[in-house]
Amino acid sequence: MTSMSDVLHHPCTGPAVWQGPSLAGSQEWILRLSPAQIDELEAALRAVRERGIPLLKVTARDFPLPTLARELERLADMLENGRGFVLVKRIPVERYSQAAASAVFWGLGQHLGVPVSQNAAGHMLGHARDTDRTMTAPSTRGYQTREPLPFHTDGSDVLGLLCLRAARSGARLSLVSSAAVYNAVLARRPDLVERLYRTQFLDRREEHGPGERPYHAVPLAAWYEGKLSLRYNRCYLESAQRFSDVPRLEPADVELFDLIDELAASPDLRLDIDFGAGDVLLVNNHAVLHSRTAYEDFADPALKRHVLRLWLALRQGRVLPPDFWGDLHSTGGGSGRGGIAPRDVIAPSDLVDIGGSRRQE
């Protein structure tokens, strides 16, 4: 397909269009780390520690992976030009302190892309865990709760997750091909497809800077340079309605959102992921929607679910329309490829908390 007219009338094709059941028994999207590859990770970790490099200053050159680096290049290409997701099994996180596991994850991320800020505090290495907050508070983000997270995308090229500890129960992760959902919308309700390309309004959840709008005005879908990119977060679309200057959602918008939710959660399309301690999940947000079920946690704080999170800009990522991320100045990593712009200026002495690692301005 070469034009907007094509994508409005014909289904997408290619490796990014997949159905979960057809992949459930496959190993093609899984990389199982060999003992030699784990040895490389640990050797790189020792090199960083011996040189005393602060976490956020570690680059791919500082974290040498003689053979694994080539495999990570292949994974980056798979994320952008293949199915759009990869599961890496399994980093032996039980051997490491939280600081060591964070350094390993950060080092891997440096070989895949450029980290961008995940919130207005400038955190470059995030922590998904329950904070007893709920989504009823306008400043709460889903990763801070135990609540179910319906299918959605995050604000970067790639989402990376490293599981340090799994929940007592629940927290099942699922993925679905954005292009497969798009094709299903086209097949069932072709009258709604064009609406994906209209301007919609996404709540910024109190993470906008002074003088900025508290929401982004963006299309949900973009067809650009031969690739479909889809963004979707119904919670943010609906919570943006609290602003008086945001146009009201039309009945057809709600029909579209209902259909996307139904299709994404369908067992005919979705893929459920076995995501345990030491696993790394990498997801291209332009090509794949992800979800998480609610979970029950352990009472002991030392056993509670804890997942490290990276938002990455791919070095060889797709070309995106100039207005794709909303306000052009609202980018968190200097790459112009997503992220949330930090509101403050961080001094080097502040970069000491692995629990909320922040960028240096």
Side-chain angles (χ1 to χ4, degrees):
M1 294 182 293
T2 59
S3 69
M4 180 62 69
S5 177
D6 288 337
V7 297
L8 288 175
H9 297 95
H10 302 286
C12 298
T13 59
V17 184
W18 49 265
Q19 288 76 40
S22 66
L23 296 181
S26 170
Q27 298 289 306
E28 294 178 4
W29 47 275
I30 298 174
L31 170 64
R32 297 185 183 277
L33 293 177
S34 68
Q37 290 169 330
I38 292 171
D39 287 345
E40 283 192 11
L41 288 174
E42 295 184 343
L45 175 63
R46 287 193 298 272
V48 166
R49 285 179 154 178
E50 288 169 0
R51 295 176 60 192
I53 306 173
L55 176 72
L56 300 189
K57 290 186 177 295
V58 173
T59 67
R61 181 176 297 179
D62 299 319
F63 202 85
L65 300 172
T67 64
L68 185 54
R70 291 193 293 274
E71 186 70 3
L72 294 175
E73 288 180 7
R74 184 184 70 83
L75 296 189
D77 182 71
M78 187 184 303
L79 288 169
E80 179 53 43
N81 300 306
R83 294 187 183 92
F85 73 97
V86 179
L87 182 67
V88 180
K89 300 176 78 77
R90 165 187 181 279
I91 296 172
V93 292
E94 67 278 0
R95 299 182 191 174
Y96 312 141
S97 65
Q98 180 178 308
S102 298
V104 168
F105 188 40
W106 180 267
L108 280 173
Q110 288 290 319
H111 283 273
L112 290 164
V114 179
V116 297
S117 173
Q118 301 177 37
N119 54 33
H123 291 168
M124 307 291 279
L125 179 64
H127 295 256
R129 51 189 171 188
D130 182 33
T131 60
D132 294 322
R133 303 176 70 174
T134 69
M135 291 301 291
T136 57
S139 61
T140 299
R141 304 267 296 279
Y143 67 88
Q144 299 170 320
T145 78
R146 291 187 289 117
E147 298 178 20
L149 303 181
F151 279 94
H152 66 285
T153 57
D154 284 6
S156 62
D157 286 345
V158 167
L159 165 69
L161 301 173
L162 167 61
C163 183
L164 296 182
R165 293 188 299 273
R168 185 177 69 179
S169 63
R172 184 197 70 206
L173 296 183
S174 299
L175 308 177
V176 69
S177 160
S178 297
V181 171
Y182 183 93
N183 287 352
V185 173
L186 180 63
R188 189 183 300 186
R189 289 292 305 273
D191 58 303
L192 295 178
V193 172
E194 182 273 336
R195 195 166 288 269
L196 287 166
Y197 296 90
R198 298 183 185 180
T199 298
Q200 296 283 356
F201 299 86
L202 290 165
D203 193 348
R204 294 175 68 177
R205 308 296 288 183
E206 309 291 312
E207 296 201 294
H208 56 290
E212 294 180 340
R213 293 183 299 186
Y215 53 82
H216 282 307
V218 291
L220 301 184
W223 176 260
Y224 202 70
E225 297 289 323
K227 288 186 176 181
L228 174 73
S229 299
L230 186 68
R231 107 181 74 228
Y232 183 68
N233 190 318
R234 185 167 186 170
C235 174
Y236 292 7
L237 287 162
E238 292 182 337
S239 66
Q241 294 289 292
R242 64 195 174 101
F243 302 113
S244 60
D245 57 336
V246 167
R248 300 303 90 182
L249 290 171
E250 299 175 5
D253 293 320
V254 177
E255 290 181 44
L256 174 61
F257 302 162
D258 286 344
L259 182 56
I260 290 174
D261 291 345
E262 176 192 343
L263 292 169
S266 166
D268 293 333
L269 292 184
R270 79 166 195 263
L271 175 67
D272 298 331
I273 300 290
D274 179 16
F275 187 61
D279 293 344
V280 174
L281 179 63
L282 301 165
V283 176
N284 185 326
N285 284 301
H286 310 310
V288 176
L289 297 154
H290 64 280
S291 72
R292 190 206 70 207
T293 61
Y295 64 89
E296 295 296 326
D297 229 335
F298 295 95
D300 184 349
L303 298 177
K304 287 183 179 293
R305 182 180 188 267
H306 190 178
V307 175
L308 299 180
R309 188 174 81 158
L310 284 173
W311 280 6
L312 297 170
L314 289 176
R315 293 186 176 87
Q316 302 298 324
R318 67 189 60 194
V319 181
L320 292 165
D323 61 346
F324 186 83
W325 293 114
D327 296 334
L328 291 179
H329 57 286
S330 297
T331 56
S335 65
R337 296 191 65 87
I340 297 173
R343 282 198 291 255
D344 54 359
V345 177
I346 308 304
S349 60
D350 291 329
L351 300 176
V352 296
D353 179 15
I354 290 292
S357 301
R358 300 194 290 181
R359 75 194 290 263
Q360 180 177 349
E361 291 293 289

